[in-house]
Amino acid sequence: MDKRFHTVFRHFCIMVKDTDASEDPNQGFQYHVELEEGDVANAVLLPGNPERLDKITPFWDDHEEVAYHREYRTATGTYEGTPISVTSTGIGSPSAAIALEELARVGADTFIRVGSCGALQPEMDVGDLVITSGGVRQEGTSKEYVREEYPAVADKEVVSALVAAAERLGHDYHVGLTMSADSFYTGQGRPGFEGFRALGSEDLVKELQDANVKNIEMEASALLTIANVYGLRAGAVCSVYANRVTGEFRTEGETKSAETASLAVKLLAKMDAVKEEAGVDHWHAGLSLE
C-alpha cells in the first residue's frame, strides 16, 4: 500500500483501538502531525512551508516522507550518517508550538527552525543567514506557557553548531536577537488593507533597529521559550529575504539555511558523543569537534 494510505489506515486503527480511552495527548499517535514514536529522529528541522522539505532533503543521504496532514509534512532520513527529520509547521507560532509539542511526545528533543526573515540592520544582505541567539516575544503563543518576563533564549549548543556549520560552508551569517510577531502585515510594521496603520507600527522597525535586533519573523521566540520550559534544545536559522531598512527584497538563501541546519544536526550529534566520552553534561570551548 502507498505511504499516504498506510498513514491514514494506521490513524484509523489507533482511533478504533483507543475509542474507549480518555484523551491523553502524551500517548501514541499524535493528532495534528500524524506521527508516533519511532517516526522521527531526535533532531528535527522546522521550516514553515511544506514545500521547503523539497529544498532540505536533497542535502541528505536518504529520506522517506512519513506523514503529511494539514500544514505538517514530515520526512525522516540521514545526513552524512546522522539521523535527522524535518517537519513543516505552517505560518506562525500557534501551529509551530503544536508541532513542537507533538514531536516532543514522540521522542524528539532538538529543534531547529529553518525559515525566512526580514533583516533590520542596513549591513545585512538579502541571502545572508541570521542565527538566533534569543527572541523578542511579540507573539502571543509563548505567553500561554509562561509569564512575559521569561526570556526566549536559544540553546547555546544549537547556536554553536549553527555557527560552526555556517563557517564550514562559507555562508555569510549574523548572530543576534530575533523579533517574532503574530502578524505579517501590521505586526511587522507594514501597512494593512487600504493603508491601515496599527498604533506604533510606523516606528516599529526603527525601534527594533536601534535596539540591535537583527531580524523579524513569526515563530522563533515561541519555539525557544517552549523548548526551554520543557528542557529541550532549540535554535533558529533564517535566510534574509528582505532588508526592512534598505527596502531590498528577493527570495534568496533557502538552500543556505537548509544546508546549514542539516550540518548543524551532524555537529550536535558529534558534540553529544564527545560530551559522553568526556563525562560532561555541557559542551564547552575546551572540547573539540575534530
Side-chain angles (χ1 to χ4, degrees):
M1 66 182 70
D2 64 41
K3 289 182 289 185
R4 177 60 184 167
F5 179 81
H6 174 74
T7 299
V8 173
F9 181 73
R10 181 178 62 171
H11 194 183
F12 173 76
C13 290
I14 292 171
M15 287 176 64
V16 170
K17 178 181 177 182
D18 293 340
T19 298
D20 297 327
S22 61
E23 180 187 9
D24 185 355
N26 289 293
Q27 300 295 325
F29 193 84
Q30 296 301 303
Y31 176 71
H32 297 90
V33 296
E34 291 195 343
L35 298 167
E36 60 186 337
E37 191 170 348
D39 285 338
V40 297
N42 291 339
V44 185
L45 307 187
L46 301 175
N49 187 347
E51 293 179 2
R52 196 163 287 161
L53 269 71
D54 299 324
K55 303 289 181 68
I56 293 172
T57 53
F59 289 105
W60 300 0
D61 307 332
D62 54 72
H63 73 278
E64 178 183 2
E65 186 170 311
V66 293
Y68 196 167
H69 182 226
R70 302 185 183 187
E71 61 265 60
Y72 304 107
R73 181 185 179 193
T74 300
T76 293
T78 59
Y79 173 84
E80 296 187 2
T82 301
I84 188 171
S85 292
V86 56
T87 296
S88 58
T89 66
I91 297 175
S93 293
S95 59
I98 288 171
L100 189 151
E101 285 272 6
E102 296 190 1
L103 287 164
R105 285 165 165 78
V106 298
D109 59 20
T110 300
F111 304 90
I112 301 178
R113 164 156 161 71
V114 183
S116 58
C117 67
L120 293 169
Q121 302 302 325
E123 71 276 8
M124 300 170 69
D125 294 326
V126 169
D128 285 359
L129 300 179
V130 182
I131 296 169
T132 299
S133 59
V136 180
R137 295 170 56 198
Q138 197 162 310
E139 39 73 32
T141 301
S142 62
K143 297 178 180 66
E144 301 287 341
Y145 286 79
V146 68
R147 60 191 299 165
E148 293 183 23
E149 295 84 357
Y150 189 94
V153 182
D155 181 86
K156 61 183 177 59
E157 293 180 355
V158 175
V159 173
S160 295
L162 287 168
V163 169
E167 288 280 356
R168 292 188 181 192
L169 295 168
H171 298 324
D172 292 329
Y173 67 93
H174 311 266
V175 180
L177 298 177
T178 294
M179 188 275 268
S180 298
D182 266 344
S183 161
F184 182 80
Y185 292 101
T186 58
Q188 298 188 35
R190 297 183 176 96
F193 177 61
E194 293 186 341
F196 172 80
R197 283 285 188 178
L199 183 64
S201 65
E202 293 180 338
D203 302 321
L204 177 64
V205 169
K206 183 64 164 58
E207 178 187 343
L208 293 169
Q209 181 187 7
D210 289 346
N212 199 30
V213 177
K214 300 298 185 186
N215 62 325
I216 302 178
E217 51 80 82
M218 298 182 66
E219 293 86 14
S221 70
L223 293 171
L224 301 183
T225 301
I226 298 166
N228 273 304
V229 167
Y230 291 156
L232 305 170
R233 294 193 296 197
V237 56
C238 290
S239 305
V240 173
Y241 275 12
N243 188 300
R244 298 297 305 281
V245 180
T246 66
E248 185 180 11
F249 174 81
R250 293 192 309 277
T251 54
E252 187 173 314
E254 265 187 320
T255 57
K256 293 180 185 177
S257 57
E259 185 180 23
T260 300
S262 297
L263 178 53
V265 168
K266 176 186 175 181
L267 296 179
L268 282 165
K270 281 190 172 184
M271 287 180 180
D272 292 341
V274 172
K275 285 188 299 181
E276 183 176 1
E277 184 177 352
V280 300
D281 294 327
H282 301 282
W283 175 261
H284 59 82
L287 300 174
S288 174
L289 284 176
E290 299 302 329

